[in-house]
Amino acid sequence: MKKTGTTLQHILQRLREETDRCLSGSRLAHELGLSRTAVWKHVQALKKQGYPIASDGRNGYRLLHPPDLLLPGEILPALTTSWLGRSYHHRVSVGSTNEYALSLAAQGAAHGTVVVAEEQTAGRGRLARPWLSPAGCGIYLSMVLTEPLPSRDAAKVTLIAALTLVQSLHRDYGLPAAIKWPNDVLVQGKKVAGILTEMQADPDVVRFLVVGVGINVNQREEDMRGPFRYPASSLALETGHAVRRSPLLAAYLNGFERDYERFRASGFATFLPDLEAVSAVLGKHVTVHCGNEQATGRALGLTAEGALRLEASEGKERELWVGEIHSVTALTT
Ligand code: BTN
């Protein structure tokens, strides 16, 4: 017998509705038009996915507590998207979700395919840095976008992906999140998330983009020790309590599809006021490393293409397309 997703979803839904008592196997079998053995097999499949289900031959089944796993059964019912996450790949452990998503995209994965892992063993950040991805603590997400875009739009999509997250952290968690151009999400000056966008492109047109989002959710101080160039933190440390990952991920996917659609319909410039409002560097004195070069000056804002506008020391304005901000200092007037 094939364990279909919808039957699994149905059993899960029924178990969720009756967590205070056992749901009998024969009742489930009757509701679903299945044999009791078939119900038992579906329950075993749910247990294998990680759902803590107590089974008692006489009384039936009971979901002990909803796990904070990023399983399709936790995320898909909460999605309001039309294309994002409609193909949803969940892995317990993977090298890198970006790597996995890039290979799916190369094999023709649909626009909006999502890869999520509970753990990454070779998570990667910008500039080939490792991204610590301990099991069950964070969100490690990659989204495949296959619409043809000019290559220069990749940086805009990265900024929009960061903005979606920052706005969700403000709205749903009351956190004063900010974007450190081009891809870091900070809370109180500490990095809680980063975006790594990778692509396959012909000379000017993107064939597909993989937008990788890493969020430190329930990491403790000891989970984040490492040679970081920037102090790191997690949402749990910043809010003072554990944060459930599944509602955050579902809200993020819903929000990103909305924002991406707006970008496609109305353009990047419509995001500039919001991006500047949540900038961690605007008006501050910054040092930006761009390859072997270093630029310093006051961050003035973003261009309509997503480049950083810098007022260099000699008063001239510069636009930086790539780079990494190494120091941010408030200017005293
Ligand atoms: C950075 O700040 O340097 C970017 C970090 C991006 C990490 C995410 S986790 C999910 C996806 N898979 C990866 O290997 N990296 C990205």
Side-chain angles (χ1 to χ4, degrees), residues 98-119:
N98 263 27
E99 189 63 47
Y100 194 101
L102 283 165
S103 80
L104 288 180
Q107 293 163 47
H111 181 61
T113 294
V114 157
V115 179
V116 169
E118 299 293 334
E119 172 193 54

PDB file of all heavy atoms in Angstrom, residues 98-119:
ATOM      1  N   ASN A  98      21.691  24.609  -0.114  1.00  0.00           N
ATOM      2  CA  ASN A  98      21.923  25.318  -1.379  1.00  0.00           C
ATOM      3  C   ASN A  98      22.456  24.360  -2.439  1.00  0.00           C
ATOM      4  O   ASN A  98      22.023  24.372  -3.593  1.00  0.00           O
ATOM      5  CB  ASN A  98      22.927  26.457  -1.175  1.00  0.00           C
ATOM      6  CG  ASN A  98      22.228  27.789  -0.958  1.00  0.00           C
ATOM      7  OD1 ASN A  98      21.107  27.828  -0.475  1.00  0.00           O
ATOM      8  ND2 ASN A  98      22.896  28.879  -1.306  1.00  0.00           N
ATOM      9  N   GLU A  99      23.413  23.522  -2.015  1.00  0.00           N
ATOM     10  CA  GLU A  99      23.998  22.560  -2.951  1.00  0.00           C
ATOM     11  C   GLU A  99      22.898  21.622  -3.484  1.00  0.00           C
ATOM     12  O   GLU A  99      22.800  21.355  -4.673  1.00  0.00           O
ATOM     13  CB  GLU A  99      25.058  21.752  -2.184  1.00  0.00           C
ATOM     14  CG  GLU A  99      25.927  20.858  -3.022  1.00  0.00           C
ATOM     15  CD  GLU A  99      26.764  21.661  -3.998  1.00  0.00           C
ATOM     16  OE1 GLU A  99      27.372  22.653  -3.586  1.00  0.00           O
ATOM     17  OE2 GLU A  99      26.781  21.264  -5.191  1.00  0.00           O
ATOM     18  N   TYR A 100      22.082  21.166  -2.559  1.00  0.00           N
ATOM     19  CA  TYR A 100      20.996  20.238  -2.908  1.00  0.00           C
ATOM     20  C   TYR A 100      20.015  20.930  -3.877  1.00  0.00           C
ATOM     21  O   TYR A 100      19.609  20.361  -4.893  1.00  0.00           O
ATOM     22  CB  TYR A 100      20.277  19.850  -1.617  1.00  0.00           C
ATOM     23  CG  TYR A 100      19.359  18.666  -1.730  1.00  0.00           C
ATOM     24  CD1 TYR A 100      19.759  17.412  -1.291  1.00  0.00           C
ATOM     25  CD2 TYR A 100      18.084  18.790  -2.265  1.00  0.00           C
ATOM     26  CE1 TYR A 100      18.907  16.315  -1.385  1.00  0.00           C
ATOM     27  CE2 TYR A 100      17.233  17.712  -2.367  1.00  0.00           C
ATOM     28  CZ  TYR A 100      17.647  16.476  -1.928  1.00  0.00           C
ATOM     29  OH  TYR A 100      16.800  15.410  -2.028  1.00  0.00           O
ATOM     30  N   ALA A 101      19.656  22.171  -3.550  1.00  0.00           N
ATOM     31  CA  ALA A 101      18.705  22.909  -4.389  1.00  0.00           C
ATOM     32  C   ALA A 101      19.314  23.216  -5.765  1.00  0.00           C
ATOM     33  O   ALA A 101      18.610  23.163  -6.780  1.00  0.00           O
ATOM     34  CB  ALA A 101      18.289  24.200  -3.694  1.00  0.00           C
ATOM     35  N   LEU A 102      20.607  23.520  -5.799  1.00  0.00           N
ATOM     36  CA  LEU A 102      21.255  23.783  -7.098  1.00  0.00           C
ATOM     37  C   LEU A 102      21.183  22.540  -7.975  1.00  0.00           C
ATOM     38  O   LEU A 102      20.944  22.626  -9.180  1.00  0.00           O
ATOM     39  CB  LEU A 102      22.726  24.190  -6.889  1.00  0.00           C
ATOM     40  CG  LEU A 102      22.952  25.629  -6.409  1.00  0.00           C
ATOM     41  CD1 LEU A 102      24.372  25.818  -5.891  1.00  0.00           C
ATOM     42  CD2 LEU A 102      22.667  26.627  -7.532  1.00  0.00           C
ATOM     43  N   SER A 103      21.365  21.355  -7.352  1.00  0.00           N
ATOM     44  CA  SER A 103      21.323  20.157  -8.190  1.00  0.00           C
ATOM     45  C   SER A 103      19.892  19.864  -8.616  1.00  0.00           C
ATOM     46  O   SER A 103      19.663  19.457  -9.763  1.00  0.00           O
ATOM     47  CB  SER A 103      22.017  18.962  -7.512  1.00  0.00           C
ATOM     48  OG  SER A 103      21.162  18.387  -6.581  1.00  0.00           O
ATOM     49  N   LEU A 104      18.907  20.134  -7.760  1.00  0.00           N
ATOM     50  CA  LEU A 104      17.510  19.962  -8.199  1.00  0.00           C
ATOM     51  C   LEU A 104      17.204  20.926  -9.350  1.00  0.00           C
ATOM     52  O   LEU A 104      16.559  20.560 -10.330  1.00  0.00           O
ATOM     53  CB  LEU A 104      16.537  20.255  -7.054  1.00  0.00           C
ATOM     54  CG  LEU A 104      16.441  19.246  -5.915  1.00  0.00           C
ATOM     55  CD1 LEU A 104      15.423  19.724  -4.873  1.00  0.00           C
ATOM     56  CD2 LEU A 104      16.037  17.874  -6.428  1.00  0.00           C
ATOM     57  N   ALA A 105      17.666  22.165  -9.208  1.00  0.00           N
ATOM     58  CA  ALA A 105      17.398  23.171 -10.241  1.00  0.00           C
ATOM     59  C   ALA A 105      18.040  22.755 -11.568  1.00  0.00           C
ATOM     60  O   ALA A 105      17.432  22.889 -12.634  1.00  0.00           O
ATOM     61  CB  ALA A 105      17.919  24.532  -9.800  1.00  0.00           C
ATOM     62  N   ALA A 106      19.254  22.211 -11.492  1.00  0.00           N
ATOM     63  CA  ALA A 106      19.946  21.783 -12.729  1.00  0.00           C
ATOM     64  C   ALA A 106      19.185  20.641 -13.398  1.00  0.00           C
ATOM     65  O   ALA A 106      19.259  20.459 -14.613  1.00  0.00           O
ATOM     66  CB  ALA A 106      21.373  21.364 -12.399  1.00  0.00           C
ATOM     67  N   GLN A 107      18.427  19.879 -12.583  1.00  0.00           N
ATOM     68  CA  GLN A 107      17.627  18.782 -13.163  1.00  0.00           C
ATOM     69  C   GLN A 107      16.225  19.247 -13.561  1.00  0.00           C
ATOM     70  O   GLN A 107      15.354  18.432 -13.847  1.00  0.00           O
ATOM     71  CB  GLN A 107      17.477  17.646 -12.145  1.00  0.00           C
ATOM     72  CG  GLN A 107      18.776  16.927 -11.822  1.00  0.00           C
ATOM     73  CD  GLN A 107      18.643  16.130 -10.525  1.00  0.00           C
ATOM     74  OE1 GLN A 107      17.678  15.414 -10.325  1.00  0.00           O
ATOM     75  NE2 GLN A 107      19.598  16.286  -9.642  1.00  0.00           N
ATOM     76  N   GLY A 108      15.965  20.559 -13.476  1.00  0.00           N
ATOM     77  CA  GLY A 108      14.691  21.087 -13.967  1.00  0.00           C
ATOM     78  C   GLY A 108      13.630  21.276 -12.890  1.00  0.00           C
ATOM     79  O   GLY A 108      12.439  21.293 -13.199  1.00  0.00           O
ATOM     80  N   ALA A 109      14.046  21.456 -11.626  1.00  0.00           N
ATOM     81  CA  ALA A 109      13.053  21.653 -10.551  1.00  0.00           C
ATOM     82  C   ALA A 109      12.166  22.855 -10.862  1.00  0.00           C
ATOM     83  O   ALA A 109      12.586  23.817 -11.507  1.00  0.00           O
ATOM     84  CB  ALA A 109      13.785  21.894  -9.221  1.00  0.00           C
ATOM     85  N   ALA A 110      10.946  22.795 -10.349  1.00  0.00           N
ATOM     86  CA  ALA A 110       9.962  23.857 -10.621  1.00  0.00           C
ATOM     87  C   ALA A 110      10.326  25.139  -9.878  1.00  0.00           C
ATOM     88  O   ALA A 110      10.950  25.102  -8.805  1.00  0.00           O
ATOM     89  CB  ALA A 110       8.583  23.391 -10.159  1.00  0.00           C
ATOM     90  N   HIS A 111       9.904  26.259 -10.455  1.00  0.00           N
ATOM     91  CA  HIS A 111      10.008  27.564  -9.802  1.00  0.00           C
ATOM     92  C   HIS A 111       9.347  27.463  -8.423  1.00  0.00           C
ATOM     93  O   HIS A 111       8.224  26.955  -8.307  1.00  0.00           O
ATOM     94  CB  HIS A 111       9.262  28.592 -10.667  1.00  0.00           C
ATOM     95  CG  HIS A 111       9.285  29.983 -10.145  1.00  0.00           C
ATOM     96  ND1 HIS A 111      10.445  30.696  -9.969  1.00  0.00           N
ATOM     97  CD2 HIS A 111       8.268  30.813  -9.765  1.00  0.00           C
ATOM     98  CE1 HIS A 111      10.151  31.904  -9.509  1.00  0.00           C
ATOM     99  NE2 HIS A 111       8.841  31.992  -9.376  1.00  0.00           N
ATOM    100  N   GLY A 112      10.049  27.898  -7.393  1.00  0.00           N
ATOM    101  CA  GLY A 112       9.461  27.872  -6.044  1.00  0.00           C
ATOM    102  C   GLY A 112       9.764  26.618  -5.257  1.00  0.00           C
ATOM    103  O   GLY A 112       9.314  26.489  -4.116  1.00  0.00           O
ATOM    104  N   THR A 113      10.549  25.696  -5.850  1.00  0.00           N
ATOM    105  CA  THR A 113      10.939  24.500  -5.088  1.00  0.00           C
ATOM    106  C   THR A 113      11.706  24.926  -3.834  1.00  0.00           C
ATOM    107  O   THR A 113      12.555  25.826  -3.887  1.00  0.00           O
ATOM    108  CB  THR A 113      11.827  23.587  -5.977  1.00  0.00           C
ATOM    109  OG1 THR A 113      11.023  23.116  -7.050  1.00  0.00           O
ATOM    110  CG2 THR A 113      12.388  22.407  -5.200  1.00  0.00           C
ATOM    111  N   VAL A 114      11.401  24.266  -2.736  1.00  0.00           N
ATOM    112  CA  VAL A 114      12.032  24.615  -1.459  1.00  0.00           C
ATOM    113  C   VAL A 114      12.757  23.393  -0.900  1.00  0.00           C
ATOM    114  O   VAL A 114      12.238  22.281  -0.966  1.00  0.00           O
ATOM    115  CB  VAL A 114      10.931  25.104  -0.479  1.00  0.00           C
ATOM    116  CG1 VAL A 114      11.354  24.968   0.972  1.00  0.00           C
ATOM    117  CG2 VAL A 114      10.566  26.557  -0.773  1.00  0.00           C
ATOM    118  N   VAL A 115      13.955  23.615  -0.382  1.00  0.00           N
ATOM    119  CA  VAL A 115      14.697  22.557   0.314  1.00  0.00           C
ATOM    120  C   VAL A 115      14.942  23.045   1.738  1.00  0.00           C
ATOM    121  O   VAL A 115      15.420  24.173   1.943  1.00  0.00           O
ATOM    122  CB  VAL A 115      16.056  22.263  -0.361  1.00  0.00           C
ATOM    123  CG1 VAL A 115      16.815  21.186   0.408  1.00  0.00           C
ATOM    124  CG2 VAL A 115      15.865  21.851  -1.816  1.00  0.00           C
ATOM    125  N   VAL A 116      14.596  22.200   2.701  1.00  0.00           N
ATOM    126  CA  VAL A 116      14.777  22.554   4.105  1.00  0.00           C
ATOM    127  C   VAL A 116      15.454  21.375   4.785  1.00  0.00           C
ATOM    128  O   VAL A 116      15.118  20.222   4.503  1.00  0.00           O
ATOM    129  CB  VAL A 116      13.395  22.811   4.764  1.00  0.00           C
ATOM    130  CG1 VAL A 116      13.526  22.914   6.267  1.00  0.00           C
ATOM    131  CG2 VAL A 116      12.763  24.071   4.209  1.00  0.00           C
ATOM    132  N   ALA A 117      16.410  21.649   5.665  1.00  0.00           N
ATOM    133  CA  ALA A 117      17.053  20.553   6.398  1.00  0.00           C
ATOM    134  C   ALA A 117      17.035  20.855   7.894  1.00  0.00           C
ATOM    135  O   ALA A 117      17.088  22.015   8.302  1.00  0.00           O
ATOM    136  CB  ALA A 117      18.487  20.374   5.921  1.00  0.00           C
ATOM    137  N   GLU A 118      16.979  19.782   8.675  1.00  0.00           N
ATOM    138  CA  GLU A 118      17.069  19.953  10.133  1.00  0.00           C
ATOM    139  C   GLU A 118      18.516  20.244  10.531  1.00  0.00           C
ATOM    140  O   GLU A 118      18.777  20.869  11.554  1.00  0.00           O
ATOM    141  CB  GLU A 118      16.599  18.676  10.850  1.00  0.00           C
ATOM    142  CG  GLU A 118      15.154  18.289  10.580  1.00  0.00           C
ATOM    143  CD  GLU A 118      14.130  19.270  11.141  1.00  0.00           C
ATOM    144  OE1 GLU A 118      14.441  19.957  12.122  1.00  0.00           O
ATOM    145  OE2 GLU A 118      13.024  19.350  10.572  1.00  0.00           O
ATOM    146  N   GLU A 119      19.443  19.746   9.704  1.00  0.00           N
ATOM    147  CA  GLU A 119      20.871  19.918  10.006  1.00  0.00           C
ATOM    148  C   GLU A 119      21.632  20.020   8.695  1.00  0.00           C
ATOM    149  O   GLU A 119      21.241  19.379   7.719  1.00  0.00           O
ATOM    150  CB  GLU A 119      21.353  18.689  10.770  1.00  0.00           C
ATOM    151  CG  GLU A 119      22.843  18.633  10.993  1.00  0.00           C
ATOM    152  CD  GLU A 119      23.321  17.256  11.461  1.00  0.00           C
ATOM    153  OE1 GLU A 119      23.017  16.245  10.785  1.00  0.00           O
ATOM    154  OE2 GLU A 119      23.998  17.196  12.483  1.00  0.00           O
TER     155      GLU A 119
END
